[in-house]
Amino acid sequence: MLEINGLKVYDNGNQNGKTLLFVHGFPLTSNMWKYQTEYFIKDHRCITYDIRGLGNSSAGDGQFTMEYFVDDLIYIVNTLELDKPILCGLSMGGYISLRAVEKYPQLFGGLILMDTRSEADSNEGKLKRAAGIKRINEEGAMPFISDFVPNCFYKSSIERLGDKYISFLEEAKSNSAIGVKGSLLAMLSRTDTTEFLSQIEIPTLLICGEFDALTSPPVMKSMADKIPNSTFEVIPDCGHLSPYESGDKVNEVMDRFLLKL
Ligand code: MLT
């Protein structure tokens, strides 16, 4: 494990292969990419990291913006001297990835967006985030996370995953209140990247869980329709966390995409 600018970074796999740079969702940790890193390390260099304030990365004062998260990502790319990594972001990780490609299109060789959207938060969404911050101020982060995470999974995945689901939830619950509130602030103040979608020039794969309750397949299909060189895939029988709920299927779809790069 490396420490780069206060962030815990995990750099594993085949250093001669293509580089996959994974950006996790909220309020999770880099461990959500477990099934992808296990599978892709044979032929690829796999880099995951804990977003500032989450997992083992430092929370500091928790005054985060999406721009700050993008700066962190670019700092990792530059420090590790990554040559055109393929950026793979889920949900909040997708917000970070889209904004990073918008700002620095020349740095990346491909883009994989999972269970995410390009629109900024609506007024209703912003108020929901504000209510989340208020709740965390009053009760700490655990009750908020305990309610948020189950909504991310398709019900039958929870039953199927059993202990794996329990340990996933426990790990999310160990995130700090400052870090979780920092992510909420960053998400509620992020810019809208929809206008930029038609200008994405790198090959892009969009993946969505069939029963994703947060970013449904039609939302991602409409993004894919705007991105010129893109492929859209729906993963059956899973929710918002397709790479964890249906790791094998997601790996298969990613494999097909990566072979063409
Ligand atoms: C995530 O999975 O990263 C979050 O659900 C994103 C969000 O709340 O907008």
Side-chain angles (χ1 to χ4, degrees):
M1 191 225 298
L2 306 166
E3 167 125 9
I4 299 177
N5 196 23
L7 306 177
K8 296 290 188 242
V9 180
Y10 308 83
D11 183 0
N12 293 299
N14 185 337
Q15 303 288 312
N16 299 318
K18 290 185 194 114
T19 301
L20 287 166
L21 175 53
F22 293 95
V23 195
H24 66 80
F26 165 89
L28 311 174
T29 74
S30 56
N31 203 29
M32 64 145 283
W33 298 114
K34 179 177 162 38
Y35 300 118
Q36 284 62 55
T37 49
E38 277 174 9
Y39 179 80
F40 286 105
I41 50 167
K42 192 168 147 284
D43 297 321
H44 296 77
R45 180 175 180 187
C46 295
I47 298 168
T48 60
Y49 69 101
D50 291 332
I51 290 170
R52 188 170 295 281
L54 298 173
N56 293 313
S57 288
S58 106
D61 62 6
Q63 303 298 295
F64 306 151
T65 61
M66 203 50 64
E67 300 306 296
Y68 192 179
F69 286 163
V70 170
D71 289 347
D72 280 341
L73 173 73
I74 300 303
Y75 199 91
I76 292 170
V77 171
N78 291 336
T79 305
L80 296 178
E81 298 181 359
L82 304 180
D83 182 22
K84 302 251 180 199
I86 296 141
L87 191 54
C88 177
L90 178 132
S91 202
M92 181 173 79
Y95 310 155
I96 298 170
S97 301
L98 270 170
R99 179 67 182 135
V101 174
E102 183 177 27
K103 274 181 104 169
Y104 305 98
Q106 73 290 352
L107 284 186
F108 302 98
L111 178 62
I112 303 176
L113 297 169
M114 297 190 193
D115 302 276
T116 193
R117 63 174 72 240
S118 56
E119 290 89 14
D121 281 1
S122 62
N123 280 349
E124 189 192 351
K126 286 180 177 150
L127 292 174
K128 223 167 147 190
R129 306 260 194 227
I133 292 172
K134 183 170 184 233
R135 183 175 181 199
I136 296 169
N137 283 337
E138 289 166 359
E139 303 174 3
M142 234 190 254
F144 173 86
I145 297 170
S146 301
D147 285 345
F148 190 93
V149 171
N151 283 330
C152 295
F153 284 83
Y154 181 43
K155 267 212 167 55
S156 69
S157 300
I158 294 185
E159 287 153 26
R160 188 170 39 80
L161 289 167
D163 287 349
K164 287 183 189 149
Y165 167 76
I166 306 286
S167 61
F168 186 93
L169 179 61
E170 286 311 308
E171 182 163 8
K173 278 161 63 180
S174 68
N175 277 314
S176 75
I178 290 182
V180 173
K181 287 191 290 180
S183 282
L184 285 167
L185 278 176
M187 288 191 286
L188 89 74
S189 59
R190 73 187 190 277
T191 58
D192 191 310
T193 50
T194 309
E195 290 276 293
F196 163 66
L197 297 177
S198 61
Q199 294 162 43
I200 297 179
E201 287 180 356
I202 51 180
T204 302
L205 169 65
L206 297 97
I207 292 178
C208 190
E210 182 183 8
F211 300 110
D212 186 336
L214 285 81
T215 46
S216 65
V219 168
M220 291 206 74
K221 169 78 172 63
S222 103
M223 284 170 76
D225 288 344
K226 296 183 180 88
I227 303 176
N229 184 7
S230 69
T231 311
F232 173 59
E233 301 270 1
V234 174
I235 307 295
D237 296 325
C238 69
H240 187 60
L241 295 172
S242 53
Y244 195 82
E245 292 176 61
S246 293
D248 290 348
K249 285 185 195 127
V250 166
N251 292 346
E252 214 179 286
V253 165
M254 283 177 67
D255 234 351
R256 278 206 297 275
F257 173 74
L258 293 169
L259 276 173
K260 286 192 272 167
L261 292 185

